[in-house]
Amino acid sequence: MRKLFETYYPLLPIITLCGFYLYQASGFVLHDFANYYFGSYFLSEGHFTSDLYFPAIFNEKISALGYTSVFTSFAPNTPFLALFFYPFHILDPYTAKIIFNLISSVLFLYSLRRIFQYYSIQPIYLVLVPFLFFIPIKNNLLFGQLYFLLFFLLAEGWLAYEKKQFFRMSLFWGIAILLKIFPVLLILFLLFRKKFKAALYLIGVCAGLTLLSVAISGFEIWVFFLKDVFPKASNGEIATAFVDNYQSFYMFTKRLLLFDPIENPNPLWNSPLFFQIVWITFKLSLLYIGFFVSQNHDKLFAFSYWIIAAILLSPYGSTYTFIVLLFPFIFLAKERLPSYTKITLFIVLFAICNAPLSLFLTKAFPFSYIRLAGLLFFFVLFLFPERKTISPKGMLLLPLIIIPIGFVGSYSKPSENSKALLPKDSPILLYDYTISGNELRYFYRNENGTHSAVLPLPEVKIAEAVIQNNQIFYNGQQQTVGSDHKQKAIVLKNKTILYLSDYGRGIGFYTLRKNTVH
């Protein structure tokens, strides 16, 4: 009994924390778990089509089942996620969330203990976990998120890699990639370490899981995901165009360098070209550094680098994502570093994970991005001991590659002449509008159901325009060129076209835009 206690007592604080928020989550709203559950439910009903990526349709179908207070979006999740959660559809969503949270918590604690045992890390560091990662643990359980499960998949895959069990590794990491995409960077980790067999296994498993999903969900929804959903998600277009809550480098750079008359009227400098150059430089620099770091003799350091890099490269972020920062924490815990170095890094890590966004989101830009600054500071401190392993010569060549790519990226996009009609604080999801005399009534949905609001309209409607292949036509002439999704275009007397569009926004998160008839 004493031996059992000595083995498991370091887990008691985190078990207590998880137990408390498992209980709290049972009375909490479905939140993000609704994405997973209802995706799997509609798959089981044979109604899993690309329409579900449009939040108005997704929420309307959920509301028809009696869940009128749910407001969610299936994007940017992969179609595979609905297949993965398929077993949960036999339960009601609230019970399913409790069961999922319980399973993922057990798996999370199991892998956390295993990886601590594998590296013979002192128990005190395990006691620190619930304090350093308090908010990520809390939000993961309250929201029904899957980052506990993701940690389990990454950790078990990592232990399999350490033991040269590459097929087992590829199964765990393959599922992680199909669920959340960003672990795909681990393929580069394997290639840069010249583990070509392991990389081939991982690519093969990803292909196999994708084909399984295609066989069950259909080819059409995967094509739609790759062609429409994933490109928008890669640009941080999840809901609205500028979301400071994400605290990502992409969103910071966008706020700094891209003008928007409604959401970002005062950038430091309005330059789409320079935005492309800065963003591409950042991405290629991380990949370049990752090449040298991957040669590092300490494999866990290299693995941890790619985890941090994946977070930095993601255009959107959240507190529960920081659960995966346990990997650099585990590396620091096992290393014999000076106490002041560890303490400094742990303090920064604690601040990143737990500082309330409300403390700085109300501040003027760029002070509203303090959490991003903290993450970058942690990244630099973590990387600093390995600075001598990175060749500076290649960094000098990056501009020769980046500037031409920046020009192509900046000027290959068609110019957008339309303008948003509604103010910044307008609802994020419009789904219809009508015109009666000199009034425009638009309809929108939020967590409280459907609503409508009225705007004065000085000009009357004279005609309807046609939408073909996602472009607006009027009098036989094409009026738009953008790839945004469009609905319900009308022409006003003053030769203005009004329509619903998700330009610069998450897929299907329509707002009203206007354009001049050509």
Side-chain angles (χ1 to χ4, degrees):
M1 191 71 174
R2 181 179 177 182
K3 185 178 180 181
L4 191 67
F5 176 78
E6 290 175 350
T7 302
Y8 288 99
Y9 86 87
L11 282 170
L12 289 178
I14 193 170
I15 290 174
T16 302
L17 182 63
C18 288
F20 177 76
Y21 281 108
L22 277 168
Y23 173 74
Q24 292 290 313
S26 66
F28 200 69
V29 295
L30 289 174
H31 212 278
D32 293 339
F33 185 76
N35 308 342
Y36 317 144
Y37 176 84
F38 288 108
S40 68
Y41 177 84
F42 292 127
L43 176 62
S44 72
E45 295 290 303
H47 302 147
F48 190 64
T49 66
S50 59
D51 284 348
L52 295 184
Y53 277 111
F54 292 88
I57 297 174
F58 191 50
N59 284 282
E60 183 181 359
K61 288 181 176 290
I62 294 171
S63 182
L65 297 173
Y67 301 97
T68 55
S69 61
V70 171
F71 182 63
T72 189
S73 172
F74 191 69
N77 297 310
T78 69
F80 176 80
L81 185 135
L83 176 61
F84 185 84
F85 278 84
Y86 186 86
F88 291 95
H89 85 274
I90 62 175
L91 304 168
D92 72 87
Y94 294 96
T95 303
K97 181 182 175 183
I98 293 170
I99 299 299
F100 173 73
N101 269 344
L102 184 60
I103 292 172
S104 58
S105 295
V106 170
L107 294 176
F108 169 67
L109 295 171
Y110 168 78
S111 288
L112 189 63
R113 179 178 171 274
R114 287 231 309 149
I115 204 166
F116 265 73
Q117 281 187 326
Y118 182 81
Y119 289 114
S120 301
I121 298 172
Q122 295 178 23
I124 185 60
Y125 292 105
L126 195 51
V127 174
L128 283 176
V129 169
F131 299 98
L132 293 180
F133 295 88
F134 176 78
I135 295 297
I137 291 170
K138 169 191 170 183
N139 288 349
N140 193 89
L141 291 169
L142 289 180
F143 299 167
Q145 264 288 346
L146 49 70
Y147 281 87
F148 275 11
L149 177 65
L150 193 68
F151 176 84
F152 163 77
L153 294 169
L154 293 173
E156 291 300 313
W158 175 251
L159 292 174
Y161 172 84
E162 285 276 54
K163 298 171 184 177
K164 295 183 170 53
Q165 299 170 345
F166 295 142
F167 182 71
R168 178 181 169 87
M169 172 214 75
S170 65
L171 289 175
F172 286 115
W173 286 359
I175 294 172
I177 290 169
L178 267 291
L179 288 177
K180 279 295 179 183
I181 303 295
F182 77 82
V184 73
L185 288 179
L186 295 178
I187 295 175
L188 291 179
F189 163 76
L190 295 172
L191 292 175
F192 290 163
R193 289 193 70 86
K194 299 180 181 179
K195 301 296 182 182
F196 302 119
K197 183 178 179 180
L200 190 61
Y201 276 155
L202 182 52
I203 293 169
V205 167
C206 288
L209 292 174
T210 303
L211 290 174
L212 175 64
S213 179
V214 168
I216 295 172
S217 305
F219 187 67
E220 179 264 346
I221 194 168
W222 267 101
V223 171
F224 186 80
F225 171 78
L226 294 171
K227 184 173 72 72
D228 291 76
V229 179
F230 183 68
K232 273 188 166 291
S234 299
N235 287 329
E237 296 170 6
I238 308 301
T240 56
F242 293 82
V243 185
D244 294 330
N245 285 29
Y246 294 163
Q247 294 289 295
S248 65
F249 185 83
Y250 181 90
M251 204 58 67
F252 173 85
T253 311
K254 194 174 179 180
R255 181 71 74 183
L256 190 71
L257 297 170
L258 293 183
F259 169 79
D260 183 275
I262 304 294
E263 296 196 58
N264 197 38
N266 299 304
L268 179 67
W269 178 29
N270 180 32
S271 176
L273 171 60
F274 196 58
F275 167 77
Q276 290 288 338
I277 290 174
V278 170
W279 177 232
I280 294 168
T281 299
F282 183 71
K283 290 194 289 187
L284 291 183
S285 296
L286 289 180
L287 298 181
Y288 179 81
I289 294 169
F291 172 78
F292 290 98
V293 168
S294 296
Q295 317 300 316
N296 189 288
H297 67 279
D298 193 302
K299 293 172 284 188
L300 182 58
F301 176 85
F303 178 75
S304 300
Y305 169 87
W306 285 105
I307 294 296
I308 303 173
I311 294 174
L312 289 171
L313 288 171
S314 175
Y316 48 95
S318 58
T319 51
Y320 42 75
T321 305
F322 293 147
I323 285 289
V324 296
L325 288 179
L326 272 164
F327 291 106
F329 168 77
I330 290 167
F331 168 79
L332 294 170
K334 84 176 184 66
E335 287 295 293
R336 293 184 176 179
L337 299 172
S339 296
Y340 66 86
T341 301
K342 284 191 177 184
I343 291 171
T344 301
L345 282 161
F346 289 166
I347 290 173
V348 175
L349 186 58
F350 173 81
I352 292 168
C353 291
N354 298 284
L357 278 174
S358 58
L359 287 179
F360 41 88
L361 278 183
T362 55
K363 307 294 183 185
F365 180 84
F367 301 105
S368 54
Y369 277 80
I370 291 176
R371 192 173 78 186
L372 172 64
L375 181 60
L376 289 169
F377 183 53
F378 177 81
F379 176 65
V380 170
L381 289 179
F382 184 79
L383 192 61
F384 190 74
E386 301 300 323
R387 64 193 183 282
K388 293 181 180 178
T389 65
I390 301 166
S391 171
K393 296 179 181 178
M395 298 290 284
L396 300 176
L397 298 176
L398 285 180
L400 299 177
I401 303 171
I402 292 164
I403 292 175
I405 296 175
F407 272 101
V408 172
S410 177
Y411 292 106
S412 62
K413 294 181 180 179
S415 59
E416 179 59 45
N417 297 317
S418 67
K419 296 179 181 179
L421 184 66
L422 301 181
K424 183 178 180 180
D425 58 352
S426 60
I428 66 170
L429 177 56
L430 274 63
Y431 63 89
D432 196 8
Y433 70 96
T434 59
I435 292 178
S436 177
N438 291 83
E439 282 189 345
L440 182 151
R441 180 177 294 274
Y442 62 86
F443 301 87
Y444 63 95
R445 179 183 287 275
N446 59 23
E447 62 276 7
N448 297 315
T450 57
H451 313 271
S452 67
V454 175
L455 285 177
L457 193 66
E459 297 292 336
V460 297
K461 170 185 172 181
I462 61 170
E464 292 187 2
V466 177
I467 298 178
Q468 295 179 348
N469 298 320
N470 213 27
Q471 301 301 338
I472 298 174
F473 291 82
Y474 178 63
N475 285 340
Q477 290 188 330
Q478 184 172 330
Q479 304 294 322
T480 57
V481 294
S483 61
D484 53 311
H485 298 89
K486 307 171 185 71
Q487 282 189 352
K488 199 169 184 176
I490 65 158
V491 182
L492 302 179
K493 191 175 181 180
N494 65 351
K495 300 299 182 182
T496 296
I497 299 176
L498 286 183
Y499 60 100
L500 292 170
S501 166
D502 64 5
Y503 175 78
R505 300 161 68 90
I507 189 164
F509 277 90
Y510 293 118
T511 189
L512 280 165
R513 296 189 73 85
K514 59 182 180 179
N515 206 350
T516 303
V517 174
H518 298 161

